[in-house]
Amino acid sequence: MTIANSSFKTENGISINEAENVNLINTDISIEKGNLINIYNAKNITFDNLNYKSSENIIGVITGKLSNNIIFKNSENITKNQFELKKSVKNNVLKIKK
């Protein structure tokens, strides 16, 4: 599934659960509270040119031992330190490409 050139304004962010091959391209996400992105048992998820508004230091949580190949590219100001990887998640699941 691909979502392109879209804007989302949410109260609690977005969740990607039990999904595969999801691409968000040129996407703006604005949240009021909580995590920007919650990912559970998802793989091959790509955020390309993600722009976001969040006051949180941790913008995402990745859980589930099946989570794999979560990619952020061309997304300014996003670092691995902004994500919480739960114990069941492999260390190399998250990739940041500039």
Side-chain angles (χ1 to χ4, degrees), residues 32-86:
E32 292 181 19
K33 61 183 176 181
N35 297 320
L36 182 72
I37 301 163
N38 294 294
I39 296 173
Y40 173 75
N41 277 342
K43 58 185 176 179
N44 303 322
I45 310 299
T46 301
F47 294 87
D48 187 351
N49 193 29
L50 172 69
N51 297 297
Y52 69 95
K53 292 180 185 143
S54 171
S55 60
E56 303 292 327
N57 291 329
I58 300 295
I59 62 168
V61 176
I62 301 174
T63 61
K65 65 182 180 182
L66 298 178
S67 289
N68 193 21
N69 202 34
I70 312 299
I71 300 170
F72 286 81
K73 62 183 185 178
N74 304 314
S75 301
E76 290 188 37
N77 303 320
I78 292 183
T79 66
K80 287 186 178 184
N81 294 337
Q82 293 174 290
F83 290 84
E84 179 182 350
L85 304 180
K86 296 295 187 175

Side-chain angles (χ1 to χ4, degrees), residues 15 18 25 36-37 46 90 97:
S15 295
E18 304 282 343
I25 303 167
L36 182 72
I37 301 163
T46 301
K90 300 173 197 164
K97 301 177 180 182

Side-chain angles (χ1 to χ4, degrees), residues 1-53:
M1 174 177 74
T2 298
I3 298 172
N5 305 316
S6 299
S7 295
F8 299 95
K9 184 175 181 180
T10 70
E11 189 173 311
N12 294 308
I14 62 170
S15 295
I16 300 173
N17 299 321
E18 304 282 343
E20 187 173 350
N21 300 320
V22 175
N23 302 293
L24 286 96
I25 303 167
N26 298 325
T27 304
D28 297 319
I29 302 173
S30 178
I31 64 168
E32 292 181 19
K33 61 183 176 181
N35 297 320
L36 182 72
I37 301 163
N38 294 294
I39 296 173
Y40 173 75
N41 277 342
K43 58 185 176 179
N44 303 322
I45 310 299
T46 301
F47 294 87
D48 187 351
N49 193 29
L50 172 69
N51 297 297
Y52 69 95
K53 292 180 185 143

